[in-house]
Amino acid sequence: MGSMTSKNNVTELIITGLFQHPQVQRVCFVVFLLLYLATVACNGLIVLTVSVSKSLRSPMYFFLSYLSLVEISYSSTVVPKFITDLLIKIKTISLEGCLAQIFFFHFFGVTEILLLTVMAYDRYAAICKPLHYTTIMNQAVCHLLVAGCWLGGIIHSMVQILVTVQLPFCGPNVIDHYFCDLHPLFKVACTDTFVEGAIVLANSGLISVISFLILVSSYVVILVNLRNHSAEGRRKALSTCASYITVAILFFGPAIFLYMRPSSTFTEDKLVAVFYTVITPMLNAIIYTLRNAEVKNAMRRLWDKKVNSGIE
């Protein structure tokens, strides 16, 4: 970081935030605080339920608990600061803090993209290769796939940060966003960032597009394969896949919209970002629990056990 600060006379950045009106900001504070608490509570409940329930031992739930863990972390890199900033007139962040936020935001974001892809592959193995499923998705393979997702997230983030650290920041120091992301930060660099922008676009874009293609092909193969299943088997498989596809669209849609095009300063960029930093992590947990009978039953058993032990 030493060489970085020597060519920068910007050590602190001012964040414009989402809305300027104080009254609107106060309303947003309450709304987003409740959404964030719901995100942490719902996803935390999934992690807890999967870890203690004997009935949720399949790879599907193993991946689901990791996805919930990533959702909490992903949301926590942006939302707590964003919420507290809503109560402050001038919102600031140090340059190091900004880079740390970008690193973790992209780390958890890409880990989630890779996990969603792994989950699509898991459903493909379960539905299209049922006889070999336990061999294909054994415990060692599951752990290896999750480790691969974390590793992919780290490599992706390292590239983004190494590209950004080279840039000189000498003012202005106002970021037109409500958190630190690459495009808004590039705009305040005092040099042409075309090459850096292209590297970042290729890095984010390739991961999103390749993962999305793998994901879509998995579900296409699954849907074609389901024609050979019984009506009950088809209904059950479709119900599970519908949750996964919904979550994938909620996550990939905004990500591809924001990162797969030249950067520009649009208010809708901020609103799309609100959708995938604040709303999607909460929706995902709700979609997975509400559409999954086994998870709901396990949660009910967990609750009954807690109530009964309380009575005793």
Side-chain angles (χ1 to χ4, degrees), residues 140-165:
V141 169
C142 290
H143 283 101
L144 206 62
L145 286 169
V146 166
C149 293
W150 290 110
L151 185 64
I154 283 191
I155 293 169
H156 163 80
S157 280
M158 292 299 281
V159 172
Q160 307 291 62
I161 288 299
L162 288 172
V163 166
T164 314
V165 162

Side-chain angles (χ1 to χ4, degrees), residues 157-288:
S157 280
M158 292 299 281
V159 172
Q160 307 291 62
I161 288 299
L162 288 172
V163 166
T164 314
V165 162
Q166 312 300 323
L167 295 171
F169 297 98
C170 45
N173 65 336
V174 177
I175 283 197
D176 186 20
H177 212 326
Y178 65 89
F179 69 97
C180 273
D181 203 0
L182 291 156
H183 290 313
L185 184 61
F186 281 2
K187 286 205 183 70
V188 300
C190 44
T191 182
D192 180 48
T193 57
F194 177 78
V195 175
E196 287 79 5
I199 294 171
V200 161
L201 188 72
N203 189 4
S204 295
L206 279 173
I207 290 175
S208 299
V209 170
I210 292 168
S211 301
F212 194 62
L213 290 175
I214 294 172
L215 202 120
V216 169
S217 358
S218 295
Y219 289 123
V220 167
V221 173
I222 288 170
L223 293 173
V224 169
N225 206 276
L226 280 177
R227 291 183 307 186
N228 313 325
H229 286 236
S230 65
E232 175 57 23
R234 240 198 322 259
R235 191 195 59 75
K236 203 173 168 192
L238 276 172
S239 168
T240 311
C241 289
S243 312
Y244 282 55
I245 292 166
T246 311
V247 167
I249 290 168
L250 282 174
F251 192 81
F252 278 96
I256 290 173
F257 169 79
L258 279 183
Y259 292 103
M260 284 304 291
R261 62 195 180 84
S263 63
S264 48
T265 319
F266 288 136
T267 311
E268 52 262 36
D269 274 17
K270 292 188 194 179
L271 295 175
V272 169
V274 165
F275 188 76
Y276 69 77
T277 52
V278 185
I279 297 164
T280 308
M282 181 196 66
L283 284 181
N284 289 358
I286 292 170
I287 290 165
Y288 279 126

Side-chain angles (χ1 to χ4, degrees), residues 46-68:
I46 292 176
V47 175
L48 178 70
T49 308
V50 172
S51 61
V52 301
S53 301
K54 302 257 190 305
S55 60
L56 304 179
R57 284 285 169 262
S58 72
M60 178 166 115
Y61 299 113
F62 172 74
F63 295 130
L64 179 58
S65 72
Y66 268 102
L67 184 73
S68 293

